[in-house]
Amino acid sequence: MAVPGEKASFERVREIFDLKSYVPYKNVPGDPDDSIRQELYESRLYYVHQEYLKYGQRCKEGEKKNFEYAKEHGLLRECECCFANFPLNRMVSCSGEPHHLFCKQCPRKQAEETIGQSRYQITCLSLGGGCSAPFSLTERAKFLDKGLVTALERIEQDAVLRAANIEGLVQCPFCSFAAICVPEKENREFPCQNPDCLVVSCRLCRAESHVPLSCEEATQKAGFSARHEIEEAMSSALIRKCNKCSTPFIKILGCNKVSCTRCGNIQCDVCSKNCDYNHFKENQP
Ligand SMILES: [Zn+2]
Ligand SMILES: [Zn+2]
Ligand SMILES: [Zn+2]
Ligand SMILES: [Zn+2]
Ligand SMILES: [Zn+2]
Ligand SMILES: [Zn+2]
């Protein structure tokens, strides 16, 4: 376990001393016992904190003693990545032949970088040795914490699924969820089981499901509805067409004098006729 620093959050103290029943003090307005409970809480917290500091000190002293002992007995080794000396019992080794020794921080840093790049393989860090051996599970447990292990597992699972190309394996087009399904002929819908997604998609066109329409009918309908939307917008006076080249443009708040972005034609936004400035003055409210 890492040597804890001076400051500890209450949660951390609870975790270390396994104080699950130790409920933090909560202010209850109007409760006559409130000040007593607060005092009690604070004195207990003070005690726990003192214990925590002593524990940290013991850890530090323990590490120091361990280092001294290793030094005396010739049990210090150089990390093959950062080249600092560490006691052998604080080091991890790759599973290569011969194996290489590292401090715990170096492969841990590598693991964090690996996750950052959405990769999952953690291999030997030795410089120039050409060794690319992995770390055994026992060794990995020495430098990876729960969060890192979970992240690596998730990335690996995704990669394995993708690489396996398993027959009948279907991946949701909207997230990374995958499942083995009956052939498309029997069911062309894919209901995603990922609780954050739950989209039912079409396995043929990979869009959102459009049963009972065929993929073609669905795209036609989508095209139609897009056109329909434009027409609606035009009728609701949002879109105008240039009276010369018919380029559509959207009326933006402000002046009624609009000029076509394509041909430069100037027209009135209200009546779409070509007009001079007097026309605009006449039409102003
Ligand atoms: Zn190192
Ligand atoms: Zn190695
Ligand atoms: Zn999904
Ligand atoms: Zn479809
Ligand atoms: Zn125009
Ligand atoms: Zn006009």
Side-chain angles (χ1 to χ4, degrees):
M1 186 186 280
V3 179
E6 279 273 303
K7 274 190 187 157
S9 71
F10 183 73
E11 282 309 312
R12 185 87 184 97
V13 172
R14 263 161 76 105
E15 195 184 304
I16 287 170
F17 292 96
D18 199 20
L19 296 170
K20 289 194 187 75
S21 58
Y22 193 65
V23 187
Y25 164 76
K26 270 200 193 78
N27 181 273
V28 183
D31 181 349
D33 293 338
D34 198 61
S35 61
I36 299 166
R37 279 195 294 114
Q38 184 171 7
E39 212 172 290
L40 194 66
Y41 165 77
E42 273 166 11
S43 64
R44 281 159 86 195
L45 188 60
Y46 176 79
Y47 168 76
V48 169
H49 190 242
Q50 290 304 307
E51 285 301 304
Y52 179 78
L53 291 181
K54 279 187 223 158
Y55 164 79
Q57 200 54 41
R58 281 202 301 278
C59 285
K60 265 186 217 159
E61 279 161 16
E63 284 304 306
K64 215 172 136 192
K65 270 189 198 144
N66 184 54
F67 188 90
E68 294 302 328
Y69 180 89
K71 199 174 162 186
E72 241 170 72
H73 294 79
L75 296 171
L76 287 183
R77 293 290 181 279
E78 200 174 63
C79 167
E80 299 209 28
C81 181
C82 67
F83 302 114
N85 282 323
F86 293 89
L88 260 177
N89 61 355
R90 294 289 181 270
M91 298 184 87
V92 294
S93 78
C94 80
S95 53
E97 269 312 325
H99 60 244
H100 303 100
L101 288 166
F102 304 98
C103 72
K104 290 181 193 175
Q105 281 88 332
C106 286
R108 189 193 158 88
K109 223 181 279 166
Q110 189 208 23
E112 286 166 355
E113 279 164 20
T114 303
I115 291 167
Q117 297 159 355
S118 292
R119 294 185 298 116
Y120 63 92
Q121 268 125 344
I122 302 171
T123 51
C124 179
L125 296 155
S126 68
L127 303 167
C131 173
S132 56
F135 293 92
S136 72
L137 280 181
T138 339
E139 294 301 283
R140 283 165 72 110
K142 291 178 188 168
F143 62 86
L144 294 176
D145 60 27
K146 224 170 107 190
L148 292 178
V149 170
T150 317
L152 288 166
E153 276 173 359
R154 195 165 304 154
I155 296 168
E156 181 168 7
Q157 245 174 25
D158 276 7
V160 167
L161 278 180
R162 228 167 290 137
N165 206 0
I166 301 163
E167 202 186 331
L169 186 79
V170 180
Q171 192 177 352
C172 172
F174 301 96
C175 75
S176 65
F177 176 82
I180 294 174
C181 301
V182 295
E184 274 160 17
K185 283 174 282 173
E186 286 168 46
N187 186 2
R188 60 184 163 113
E189 283 188 306
F190 179 72
C192 181
Q193 305 291 308
N194 171 3
D196 294 331
C197 175
L198 296 176
V199 173
V200 180
S201 54
C202 171
R203 286 166 65 184
L204 305 172
C205 67
R206 302 194 48 84
E208 269 191 58
S209 176
H210 44 73
V211 169
L213 298 180
S214 72
C215 297
E216 239 169 58
E217 287 166 344
T219 31
Q220 255 173 25
K221 197 185 162 205
F224 173 77
S225 73
R227 235 179 306 126
H228 185 70
E229 261 171 47
I230 292 174
E231 276 158 19
E232 285 226 313
M234 285 177 100
S235 65
S236 69
L238 280 171
I239 295 181
R240 293 271 181 275
K241 268 184 186 168
C242 170
N243 62 22
K244 269 197 183 155
C245 71
S246 352
T247 298
F249 50 81
I250 295 168
K251 151 87 174 148
I252 299 162
L253 289 179
C255 182
N256 280 337
K257 188 196 87 168
V258 284
S259 66
C260 172
T261 48
R262 191 160 144 213
C263 72
N265 177 41
I266 292 177
Q267 69 186 55
C268 169
D269 177 66
V270 180
C271 66
S272 290
K273 281 178 194 148
N274 292 81
C275 3
D276 57 23
Y277 281 94
N278 291 331
H279 178 85
F280 297 118
K281 280 189 191 129
E282 280 161 27
N283 281 287
Q284 254 160 24

